[in-house]
Amino acid sequence: MRLLTLLGSAIATIAMMQGYAFQPSRAIQLQDGTVYFAQPPRLVGAVTTYNDVYVWGATYYFTVSLPDSAGEPLQKITINQREGVDYVRFRLKDSFAFEGSRSHKGQRLGLKDATSDRKKQTLSLTFDPPVSPGKTITIALKPVQNPTVAGVYLFGVTAFPAGEKSHGQFLGFGRLQFYRHSNLFYGW
Protein backbone atom coordinates (compact mmCIF):
# COMPACT_ATOMS: atom_id res chain seq x y z
CA MET A 1 0.00 0.00 0.00
CA ARG A 2 2.86 2.35 0.83
CA LEU A 3 4.45 1.58 -2.53
CA LEU A 4 1.20 2.44 -4.32
CA THR A 5 0.94 5.74 -2.42
CA LEU A 6 4.54 6.62 -3.28
CA LEU A 7 3.94 5.64 -6.91
CA GLY A 8 0.86 7.88 -7.10
CA SER A 9 2.76 10.80 -5.55
CA ALA A 10 5.67 10.33 -7.97
CA ILE A 11 3.32 10.27 -10.96
CA ALA A 12 1.58 13.44 -9.75
CA THR A 13 4.91 15.23 -9.19
CA ILE A 14 6.28 14.30 -12.62
CA ALA A 15 3.00 15.32 -14.27
CA MET A 16 3.08 18.73 -12.57
CA MET A 17 6.76 19.24 -13.49
CA GLN A 18 5.91 18.49 -17.12
CA GLY A 19 3.14 21.11 -17.03
CA TYR A 20 0.22 18.70 -16.88
CA ALA A 21 -2.66 19.46 -14.58
CA PHE A 22 -3.09 16.63 -12.11
CA GLN A 23 -6.70 15.59 -11.63
CA PRO A 24 -7.11 13.30 -8.61
CA SER A 25 -10.43 11.97 -9.91
CA ARG A 26 -8.74 10.21 -12.84
CA ALA A 27 -7.74 6.59 -12.57
CA ILE A 28 -4.11 5.66 -12.49
CA GLN A 29 -2.88 3.70 -15.50
CA LEU A 30 0.64 2.35 -15.62
CA GLN A 31 2.73 2.12 -18.76
CA ASP A 32 1.95 -1.61 -19.06
CA GLY A 33 -1.77 -0.76 -19.17
CA THR A 34 -2.67 -1.80 -15.61
CA VAL A 35 -5.54 0.33 -14.29
CA TYR A 36 -5.89 1.31 -10.62
CA PHE A 37 -8.63 3.21 -8.81
CA ALA A 38 -7.56 6.79 -8.03
CA GLN A 39 -9.48 6.36 -4.77
CA PRO A 40 -10.61 2.81 -4.00
CA PRO A 41 -14.13 1.79 -2.99
CA ARG A 42 -14.91 1.19 0.68
CA LEU A 43 -16.51 -1.89 2.25
CA VAL A 44 -19.35 -0.42 4.29
CA GLY A 45 -20.38 -3.66 5.97
CA ALA A 46 -21.67 -7.21 5.82
CA VAL A 47 -24.76 -8.71 7.44
CA THR A 48 -26.84 -11.87 7.23
CA THR A 49 -30.61 -12.23 7.53
CA TYR A 50 -30.24 -15.35 9.72
CA ASN A 51 -27.28 -16.07 11.98
CA ASP A 52 -28.22 -19.56 13.20
CA VAL A 53 -26.23 -22.57 11.99
CA TYR A 54 -27.91 -24.96 9.52
CA VAL A 55 -30.52 -22.37 8.45
CA TRP A 56 -31.80 -22.43 4.86
CA GLY A 57 -32.99 -19.29 3.08
CA ALA A 58 -30.51 -16.75 4.46
CA THR A 59 -29.08 -13.87 2.44
CA TYR A 60 -25.64 -12.37 3.05
CA TYR A 61 -25.43 -8.65 2.17
CA PHE A 62 -22.09 -6.97 1.35
CA THR A 63 -22.35 -3.18 0.89
CA VAL A 64 -19.64 -1.27 -1.01
CA SER A 65 -19.36 2.49 -1.57
CA LEU A 66 -17.61 3.74 -4.72
CA PRO A 67 -16.48 7.37 -4.22
CA ASP A 68 -16.98 10.09 -6.85
CA SER A 69 -13.20 10.38 -7.05
CA ALA A 70 -12.65 6.68 -7.89
CA GLY A 71 -11.57 7.64 -11.40
CA GLU A 72 -12.90 4.43 -12.96
CA PRO A 73 -16.14 2.48 -12.73
CA LEU A 74 -16.31 -0.73 -10.72
CA GLN A 75 -16.16 -3.77 -13.03
CA LYS A 76 -15.80 -6.75 -10.68
CA ILE A 77 -15.98 -7.80 -7.04
CA THR A 78 -14.43 -10.95 -5.61
CA ILE A 79 -15.41 -12.38 -2.23
CA ASN A 80 -13.04 -14.88 -0.66
CA GLN A 81 -13.87 -16.90 2.44
CA ARG A 82 -10.76 -16.51 4.60
CA GLU A 83 -11.93 -17.87 7.94
CA GLY A 84 -14.59 -20.27 9.17
CA VAL A 85 -14.66 -24.02 9.73
CA ASP A 86 -17.23 -24.81 7.03
CA TYR A 87 -16.90 -23.78 3.41
CA VAL A 88 -20.00 -21.74 2.54
CA ARG A 89 -21.40 -22.60 -0.89
CA PHE A 90 -23.59 -20.07 -2.71
CA ARG A 91 -26.47 -20.35 -5.17
CA LEU A 92 -25.01 -17.83 -7.61
CA LYS A 93 -28.03 -17.95 -9.94
CA ASP A 94 -30.18 -16.66 -7.06
CA SER A 95 -27.69 -14.01 -5.95
CA PHE A 96 -27.99 -10.41 -7.17
CA ALA A 97 -26.76 -6.84 -6.69
CA PHE A 98 -28.55 -3.50 -6.42
CA GLU A 99 -27.85 0.19 -5.91
CA GLY A 100 -28.14 1.42 -2.35
CA SER A 101 -28.00 -0.38 0.98
CA ARG A 102 -30.04 -3.21 2.43
CA SER A 103 -32.40 -0.72 4.05
CA HIS A 104 -32.58 1.55 0.95
CA LYS A 105 -32.81 -0.81 -2.00
CA GLY A 106 -32.56 0.76 -5.42
CA GLN A 107 -32.34 -0.43 -8.98
CA ARG A 108 -30.98 -3.91 -9.65
CA LEU A 109 -27.57 -4.04 -11.28
CA GLY A 110 -26.76 -6.21 -14.26
CA LEU A 111 -24.42 -9.11 -13.65
CA LYS A 112 -22.53 -10.30 -16.71
CA ASP A 113 -20.91 -13.19 -14.91
CA ALA A 114 -21.02 -14.90 -11.51
CA THR A 115 -18.52 -17.70 -10.87
CA SER A 116 -17.22 -19.69 -7.94
CA ASP A 117 -13.85 -21.37 -7.38
CA ARG A 118 -14.30 -23.92 -4.61
CA LYS A 119 -10.56 -24.64 -4.37
CA LYS A 120 -9.75 -20.97 -3.71
CA GLN A 121 -13.02 -20.42 -1.79
CA THR A 122 -13.66 -17.36 -3.95
CA LEU A 123 -16.61 -16.10 -5.93
CA SER A 124 -16.47 -13.39 -8.60
CA LEU A 125 -19.22 -11.06 -9.76
CA THR A 126 -18.75 -9.01 -12.94
CA PHE A 127 -21.08 -6.03 -13.47
CA ASP A 128 -22.60 -5.21 -16.85
CA PRO A 129 -22.49 -2.29 -17.26
CA PRO A 130 -19.76 -1.38 -14.76
CA VAL A 131 -20.91 0.62 -11.71
CA SER A 132 -20.30 4.37 -12.05
CA PRO A 133 -18.32 6.27 -9.40
CA GLY A 134 -20.38 7.95 -6.69
CA LYS A 135 -22.69 4.98 -6.03
CA THR A 136 -23.25 2.64 -3.13
CA ILE A 137 -24.08 -0.92 -4.08
CA THR A 138 -25.09 -4.04 -2.18
CA ILE A 139 -24.37 -7.61 -3.21
CA ALA A 140 -26.96 -10.12 -1.99
CA LEU A 141 -25.53 -13.65 -1.86
CA LYS A 142 -27.75 -16.66 -1.29
CA PRO A 143 -25.92 -19.51 0.48
CA VAL A 144 -27.08 -23.07 -0.03
CA GLN A 145 -27.42 -23.06 3.76
CA ASN A 146 -25.68 -21.42 6.70
CA PRO A 147 -22.57 -23.16 8.06
CA THR A 148 -23.09 -26.21 10.28
CA VAL A 149 -20.36 -25.09 12.68
CA ALA A 150 -20.86 -21.97 14.81
CA GLY A 151 -18.26 -19.22 14.87
CA VAL A 152 -16.84 -16.25 13.02
CA TYR A 153 -16.65 -16.39 9.22
CA LEU A 154 -14.52 -13.78 7.43
CA PHE A 155 -15.01 -12.91 3.77
CA GLY A 156 -12.32 -10.82 2.06
CA VAL A 157 -13.75 -8.35 -0.46
CA THR A 158 -11.67 -7.10 -3.42
CA ALA A 159 -12.80 -4.55 -6.05
CA PHE A 160 -11.50 -4.24 -9.63
CA PRO A 161 -11.85 -1.16 -11.86
CA ALA A 162 -13.01 -1.47 -15.47
CA GLY A 163 -10.33 -2.32 -17.98
CA GLU A 164 -8.62 -5.18 -19.74
CA LYS A 165 -5.83 -5.23 -17.17
CA SER A 166 -7.08 -4.00 -13.80
CA HIS A 167 -5.49 -4.14 -10.36
CA GLY A 168 -7.71 -5.41 -7.55
CA GLN A 169 -7.95 -3.32 -4.39
CA PHE A 170 -8.58 -5.27 -1.16
CA LEU A 171 -11.38 -3.49 0.72
CA GLY A 172 -11.40 -5.44 3.96
CA PHE A 173 -13.28 -8.28 5.61
CA GLY A 174 -17.01 -8.83 5.87
CA ARG A 175 -17.48 -10.53 9.25
CA LEU A 176 -20.44 -12.82 9.85
CA GLN A 177 -21.02 -14.65 13.15
CA PHE A 178 -23.13 -17.79 13.32
CA TYR A 179 -24.54 -19.25 16.53
CA ARG A 180 -25.77 -22.62 17.71
CA HIS A 181 -28.85 -22.00 19.83
CA SER A 182 -29.62 -24.92 22.14
CA ASN A 183 -33.15 -26.09 22.61
CA LEU A 184 -33.30 -26.92 26.28
CA PHE A 185 -36.33 -28.68 27.61
CA TYR A 186 -36.90 -28.55 31.35
CA GLY A 187 -39.09 -31.50 32.12
CA TRP A 188 -41.84 -33.19 30.17
Side-chain angles (χ1 to χ4, degrees):
M1 185 65 163
R2 179 172 164 76
L3 178 62
L4 187 57
T5 302
L6 290 172
L7 179 63
S9 296
I11 291 170
T13 302
I14 291 168
M16 284 188 280
M17 288 172 60
Q18 297 295 321
Y20 296 105
F22 179 68
Q23 297 178 7
S25 63
R26 293 194 166 239
I28 298 169
Q29 184 169 8
L30 301 182
Q31 206 167 22
D32 71 355
T34 304
V35 178
Y36 290 78
F37 287 111
Q39 183 178 356
R42 182 175 63 91
L43 177 63
V44 176
V47 66
T48 179
T49 53
Y50 299 107
N51 63 359
D52 293 326
V53 294
Y54 291 106
V55 170
W56 297 80
T59 303
Y60 303 171
Y61 292 100
F62 293 84
T63 302
V64 173
S65 176
L66 185 62
D68 287 323
S69 57
E72 283 290 327
L74 172 66
Q75 178 73 56
K76 181 171 84 170
I77 293 271
T78 62
I79 299 176
N80 171 253
Q81 183 180 334
R82 300 270 185 98
E83 190 174 306
V85 176
D86 280 351
Y87 168 65
V88 180
R89 293 179 300 124
F90 293 97
R91 297 187 326 252
L92 293 180
K93 290 183 180 180
D94 296 330
S95 298
F96 58 95
F98 56 89
E99 280 187 43
S101 64
R102 183 171 165 236
S103 59
H104 295 94
K105 291 181 183 175
Q107 177 181 355
R108 272 210 179 183
L109 301 172
L111 289 177
K112 175 182 172 182
D113 196 24
T115 60
S116 178
D117 183 337
R118 184 180 176 108
K119 192 174 184 179
K120 294 181 181 178
Q121 297 187 354
T122 300
L123 58 94
S124 299
L125 302 161
T126 304
F127 299 102
D128 185 26
V131 179
S132 301
K135 295 189 178 179
T136 296
I137 65 162
T138 299
I139 298 161
L141 299 177
K142 302 281 192 167
V144 172
Q145 81 175 60
N146 278 353
T148 58
V149 178
V152 172
Y153 287 73
L154 295 179
F155 297 88
V157 179
T158 303
F160 294 81
E164 289 294 317
K165 190 174 181 183
S166 61
H167 177 78
Q169 175 69 46
F170 181 70
L171 308 183
F173 290 103
R175 181 185 187 277
L176 300 177
Q177 173 109 26
F178 297 95
Y179 301 93
R180 177 180 307 282
H181 296 284
S182 301
N183 292 329
L184 299 175
F185 295 98
Y186 297 100
W188 301 83

